[in-house]
Amino acid sequence: MRRFEDNSWKEKMRIRFDYNNMMSDMIGDEWGINKDQITALIPKIRDAVDKLNHKRKAGKTQWRDLPYIQKDVVKDILAAADEVRQKYETFVLLGIGGSALGPIAVHQALNHLHYNELPREKRGGPRFYVVDNIDPERIQALFDVVDIKNTVFNVVTKSGNTSETMAQFLIVRNMLKEAIGEKYRERIIATTDAEKGSLIKIAREEGYRTFFIPAGVGGRFSELSPVGLLPAAVGGIDIEELLAGAAYMDELCSEDDVFKNPAYMAAVLQYIAMQQGKNISVMMPYADSLKYMADWYAQLWAESLGKKLDLDGKEVYAGQTPVKALGATDQHSQIQLYTEGPFDKVITFITVEKYRSKVCIPRAYEDMTGVSFLGGHTINRLIRAEQMATEYALYKAKRMNRTIILPEVNAFTIGQLLYMLEVETAFIAELLNINAFDQPGVEEGKIAAYALMGRPGYERKKAELESGTEKKMEYII
Ligand code: PA5
């Protein structure tokens, strides 16, 4: 039996959501949320639950079913990953946005924190890189450290057309061809839509191995599809446990009663907080392994909720600005603002009860009380104390904060965390009456970039850009 099939282990690994410090009984009537405010929303919450359930039944939110619909896909991924792990020195993911942030977050969470520097026998698989930008210096730097003859490239793009990713692909394909000739085809794995976009056409024509992102799974909701599963499996992460964690959270989130459903409650609290002018959502994990979860969440929250129009076409300018922080590091950078600055934030801590390492602080300098009190404790205790202390400081300053508690960081808890935050995002979008799954606001910039790069069909946009307002030299100093 796998451990995730054991109910008592699952219960022990259940992540918990502590929202005490969002509530008025804790931080006072002026700044906290009253339980009655939540109950007053029950009809709206029921409506949102119905809408979300309806969308799921209609197959419009297939990302919710990823834990269940990928048995064969998982087999193929494990086979491909096994081959890559045995044969190659380096695995490079080319992608951007939702096609990169999840793989980065999960790799950081579940692999060794200095994975690439470990010797091969300890890693067990290839070194792992994600190129999620088109900075020429970074691309060149990658080729300075990887041996292309020993590398597999995973090109990930749902649309199959994203300029940044396709430019990276063109560079890599050319380099591979020059280095190993026609065998280059074996070194490119495409993860994309089964029908749409240029990448699938190229992949079919040139015979690349392919994995598909299901139709109802958009970029930022795709981590539990082959987008995230293949790179995770290549890194030796147990992807079946990851999906089992997501399925478990799905069970917890299938509870209609908001007071028992962590994702719905998280969304409702943020919704009320937004009505009260909390325009900023800070995510602050107290674990380096979870540092990039905050990046992944920032995209999910920003792109899903930042909307000019609601579903009725009314101008609403919705959204809450996500901010990434890391405990304890950012106590020495951002916490001053959070305790004494404007009352415009909700801070979400992520804490870990049991870290995978334990480090003792040696006793020394017994005559120096400012240092000696640390000796004899573990650094685990120190980081825990710092998180509790920061939470307390925010509570005293009457700042809304909440905590997601992970018993441990493992594939099961990470699956739960990803799924919970996705459901929270989709649910708050229902409350806000906006579409969480589109991103019309990025179109203008995309089109302007096509025009500037001379893409056929965008000549008028180019002319518009060229005839646009000229910048005044007096404002450039
Ligand atoms: O969430 C989204 O849909 C976007 O952020 C995309 O992930 C991003 O634009 C990359 O798109 P694609 O996967 O099509 O290359």
Side-chain angles (χ1 to χ4, degrees):
M1 184 163 78
R2 310 283 303 272
R3 60 183 185 173
F4 59 79
E5 289 161 349
D6 171 355
N7 284 337
S8 68
W9 184 82
K10 279 164 68 171
E11 178 56 27
K12 229 169 80 190
M13 288 299 137
R14 184 164 68 85
I15 70 174
R16 306 187 307 280
F17 178 57
D18 172 357
Y19 62 94
N20 269 282
N21 291 343
M22 297 292 290
M23 306 301 289
S24 55
D25 4 0
M26 301 300 286
I27 57 168
D29 286 336
E30 194 180 353
W31 301 110
I33 294 170
N34 193 305
K35 230 174 161 184
D36 294 343
Q37 282 176 276
I38 301 174
T39 32
L41 280 175
I42 295 286
K44 195 175 172 66
I45 292 169
R46 278 206 195 110
D47 187 48
V49 172
D50 286 348
K51 283 186 178 147
L52 215 53
N53 288 343
H54 182 73
K55 281 191 181 136
R56 187 171 189 175
K57 277 199 196 108
K60 287 185 181 156
T61 53
Q62 246 188 325
W63 54 271
R64 288 210 66 171
D65 302 322
L66 291 172
Y68 314 105
I69 59 172
Q70 299 189 97
K71 285 220 160 60
D72 291 338
V73 179
V74 164
K75 266 193 215 144
D76 291 347
I77 286 177
L78 290 175
D82 200 40
E83 193 185 317
V84 173
R85 280 168 71 77
Q86 285 180 32
K87 280 194 175 153
Y88 301 107
E89 267 309 307
T90 315
F91 177 88
V92 178
L93 188 152
L94 310 176
I96 198 164
S99 292
L101 291 161
I104 295 170
V106 168
H107 170 74
Q108 174 85 1
L110 298 174
N111 280 328
H112 191 281
L113 288 171
H114 291 290
Y115 177 85
N116 281 350
E117 287 98 275
L118 286 176
R120 167 90 205 193
E121 61 280 11
K122 284 206 173 150
R123 258 189 281 120
R127 285 187 297 156
F128 177 80
Y129 294 94
V130 178
V131 183
D132 64 343
N133 202 358
I134 42 170
D135 177 341
E137 292 178 14
R138 180 155 167 221
I139 292 180
Q140 186 55 55
L142 177 78
F143 295 122
D144 290 342
V145 297
V146 306
D147 172 10
I148 191 145
K149 290 190 179 148
N150 242 316
T151 302
V152 167
F153 292 89
N154 181 201
V155 191
V156 187
T157 163
K158 167 80 198 245
S159 63
N161 287 327
T162 300
S163 302
E164 294 88 341
T165 307
M166 294 312 280
Q168 293 166 355
F169 159 73
L170 292 174
I171 295 166
V172 158
R173 176 177 173 272
N174 209 42
M175 288 180 79
L176 277 171
K177 269 181 134 177
E178 277 174 11
I180 55 172
E182 279 310 297
K183 277 192 180 295
Y184 81 93
R185 299 160 200 269
E186 295 163 14
R187 300 300 183 77
I188 299 176
I189 304 176
T191 305
T192 189
D193 190 273
E195 309 292 336
K196 294 185 204 141
S198 308
L199 183 62
I200 188 60
K201 288 195 195 84
I202 299 170
R204 289 205 166 113
E205 267 169 41
E206 302 190 8
Y208 307 156
R209 202 195 284 246
T210 48
F211 289 99
F212 299 126
I213 309 165
V217 179
R220 54 194 174 273
F221 289 85
S222 69
E223 173 50 24
L224 296 168
S225 79
V227 169
L229 297 181
L230 177 66
V234 167
I237 291 165
D238 186 340
I239 58 172
E240 288 165 310
E241 188 171 297
L242 190 73
L243 290 171
Y248 185 53
M249 181 51 71
D250 184 34
E251 263 175 53
L252 302 175
C253 293
S254 299
E255 176 62 68
D256 285 352
D257 179 355
V258 64
F259 288 96
K260 294 187 181 144
N261 185 317
Y264 288 178
M265 180 53 88
V268 168
L269 294 169
Q270 285 283 30
Y271 175 77
I272 299 172
M274 283 165 80
Q275 315 293 310
Q276 298 181 0
K278 308 287 184 283
N279 298 320
I280 297 172
S281 169
V282 180
M283 179 170 278
M284 188 166 186
Y286 269 72
D288 279 37
S289 62
L290 302 176
K291 181 175 176 177
Y292 296 117
M293 276 294 155
D295 284 52
W296 171 81
Y297 159 81
Q299 187 221 7
L300 182 71
W301 203 245
E303 222 168 52
S304 303
L305 305 186
K307 299 289 151 70
K308 174 178 169 183
L309 301 178
D310 72 4
L311 291 170
D312 304 317
K314 202 171 118 211
E315 288 185 13
V316 286
Y317 300 100
Q320 201 189 30
T321 306
V323 172
K324 306 172 278 185
L326 177 69
T329 307
D330 286 314
Q331 286 175 204
H332 299 268
S333 149
Q334 302 176 21
I335 287 296
Q336 170 61 32
L337 172 72
Y338 299 167
T339 49
E340 293 194 353
F343 283 78
D344 57 358
K345 300 170 197 68
V346 174
I347 292 114
T348 304
F349 295 112
I350 310 182
T351 62
V352 178
E353 287 180 319
K354 190 166 171 238
Y355 291 85
R356 287 162 288 189
S357 303
K358 186 171 167 188
V359 176
C360 297
I361 309 171
R363 287 184 200 283
Y365 305 109
E366 297 294 343
D367 54 335
M368 292 169 71
T369 48
V371 178
S372 63
F373 76 99
L374 295 166
H377 292 300
T378 58
I379 206 119
N380 306 52
R381 175 141 185 217
L382 179 61
I383 194 166
R384 178 85 190 108
E386 298 221 2
Q387 188 276 327
M388 285 167 70
T390 306
E391 190 179 323
Y392 179 71
L394 289 171
Y395 150 80
K396 270 200 84 177
K398 303 189 182 303
R399 307 303 166 126
M400 280 187 176
N401 68 90
R402 48 193 214 155
T403 305
I404 300 173
I405 305 159
L406 269 60
E408 287 174 15
V409 176
N410 59 39
F412 192 73
T413 55
I414 292 300
Q416 290 180 66
L417 181 63
L418 293 166
Y419 201 87
M420 178 183 157
L421 293 171
E422 287 178 357
V423 177
E424 178 191 8
T425 306
F427 195 69
I428 195 171
E430 293 300 338
L431 296 172
L432 292 164
N433 191 35
I434 56 168
N435 183 353
F437 308 110
D438 64 359
Q439 50 282 325
V442 301
E443 282 312 304
E444 181 64 29
K446 249 192 212 176
I447 289 167
Y450 292 156
L452 290 170
M453 289 298 284
R455 182 172 167 174
Y458 293 83
E459 294 77 9
R460 274 179 55 191
K461 182 55 75 178
K462 188 160 190 239
E464 179 191 314
L465 279 160
E466 282 166 357
S467 67
T469 327
E470 243 183 66
K471 287 201 170 168
K472 295 184 181 166
M473 290 313 288
E474 66 177 298
Y475 297 147
I476 304 178
I477 52 174

